[in-house]
Amino acid sequence: MRLAYDVEAVRAAEAALAAGLPAGTLMDRAAAGIAAACARLLGSTYGTRVVLLVGSGDNGGDALHAGARLGRRGARVDALCLGSRTHQEGAAALLAAGGRLHGGTERADLLDDADLVVDGIVGIGGSGGLRPDAARVVARAEASAALLVAVDVPSGVDASTGEATGEVVHADVTLTPGTLKPGLLVDPGSSCAGLVEVVDIGLGPHLAALGAPDVEALEADDVAALLPAPGPESDKYQRGVVGVVAGSDEYPGAAVLCAGAAVRSGAGMVRYVGPDHATYRVLARWPEAVAGEGRVQARVIGPGIPELDAVLDQVARPEPVVLDATAATAYARAGGPALLTPHAGELVRVLAAAGVEATREQVEARRLHWAREAARATGCVVLLKGSTTVVAAPDGRVRVNPTGTPWLATAGSGDVLAGVAGALLAGGLPPFDAGSVAAWLHGLAGRLAADGASTSASAVLDALPAALRAVLR
Ligand SMILES: NC(=O)C1=CN([C@@H]2O[C@H](COP(=O)(O)OP(=O)(O)OC[C@H]3O[C@@H](n4cnc5c(N)ncnc54)[C@H](O)[C@@H]3O)[C@@H](O)[C@H]2O)[C@@H](O)CC1
Ligand SMILES: Nc1ncnc2c1ncn2[C@@H]1O[C@H](COP(=O)(O)OP(=O)(O)O)[C@@H](O)[C@H]1O
Ligand SMILES: [K+]
């Protein structure tokens, strides 16, 4: 499991760790790790050109101390000091190592033929986007061929949320001291961070003492451990029967995709309930599915159903349920534990049903916040789809999905996700695990299906067995 802590927790853990150490030790550790990683990225440091973008706080201090270490290893290091002040000891260390300091933007031309640029403008102490001077310098750095390495977070990104309210750095690599921050896992922050590497500064025990992390992200091992697997004595009923209530005369394809995803992701049996035409299509494509009502361990309700009235009695049953699309707004009628799977537009309607006002734009700009808010307001686990899928539980736990690709933004791919989640619920996973494991597998299947180009919901469905095998192998 990858764990991310928000700024408040990081500051508390850093204070506890620093209390037992000589002054400056933490920054020294951070700078050593950052310099070592930069040296690795450069291959050989001798004769390379490194430019530091330095803000007024300790984030700039990290960059200056790391720059001093690179200078001692033979790099030519120039610092562009963009803040109202500059970290004194860091500046002195860089000068002592043979580096140079420049005021503001006066030597921005150095960026044009730099090999590596370090973004130390602002870190966990930042608020708002880049100031105009910094934004101009960053644009020049991004236009150059240099590797752009952010210290802690890409400047301008909110470390606790991933929100960006103005101009931000788009880094190739982010080196983050101590622990991951949520802003490195949630878009738009996550997309701005590039490859993320944690630089160990000994914070681990102090973070663990603070309790639960702010945000988690599953890794392959976690998914393998959570996935329901058949034992020697298993039969199809023990593995879990999932009822798929999906599709309509208008959208029969949603039924085929959702039922197929349940078939492909480990359900012992799939019972399909829907209109005749859709039933015919489902059985023609998935002969292993069974038509009609019967005992199930969980249901998926909603994909491809524009008219809610027809399915409301199914929502009220006591078994765990995935409520997708319009059905998510009927959460209050659920007779058992519910997993809601809205995209941003649908989340607005779910929130409205819970008496909370928000616009689609607001949800898209603050995904972590609104997923949490919806879980709290509805009392259900909420899986918010889109650029960084966020799964939030009413008790405050949040998982963000590290797999996935924008190629998944294709008609019907949400129907596939709902089917996977339904099969996992039927297999006995609680809604929070079912949602986060489903998003993980769906995201991996999406990447395998797309393989760097366009894909379709049917191809994602076909890639599910390969995604499962990749995890269980
Ligand atoms: N606290 C610690 O023990 C450690 C801190 N470390 C580093 O210190 C950083 C935090 O340092 P600080 O608390 O000084 O905070 P930052 O350096 O992140 O930023 C604070 C400074 O930036 C200014 N500022 C805020 N938003 C800005 C914006 N949008 N544009 C330009 N300037 C802006 C503020 O006025 C303030 O002067 C971390 O991100 C990390 O890089 C590391 O050295 C590890 C240890
Ligand atoms: N920009 C994006 N990046 C990554 N995944 C995305 C993006 N946009 C959409 N997705 C994913 O694609 C799927 C689309 O689901 P949904 O919006 O319900 O579409 P549909 O109703 O057509 O099936 C979801 O899993 C969602 O998380
Ligand atoms: K930074």
Side-chain angles (χ1 to χ4, degrees), residues 27-47:
M27 188 172 284
D28 207 43
R29 289 182 185 173
I34 291 161
C38 288
R40 248 186 292 122
L41 290 167
L42 284 165
S44 160
T45 43
Y46 285 96

Side-chain angles (χ1 to χ4, degrees), residues 218 388-389 400-405 408 436 438-445 447:
L218 295 175
T388 311
T389 291
V400 300
N401 187 44
T403 63
T405 156
L408 275 170
S436 48
W440 201 101
L441 290 170
H442 179 256
L444 178 58
R447 277 195 204 174

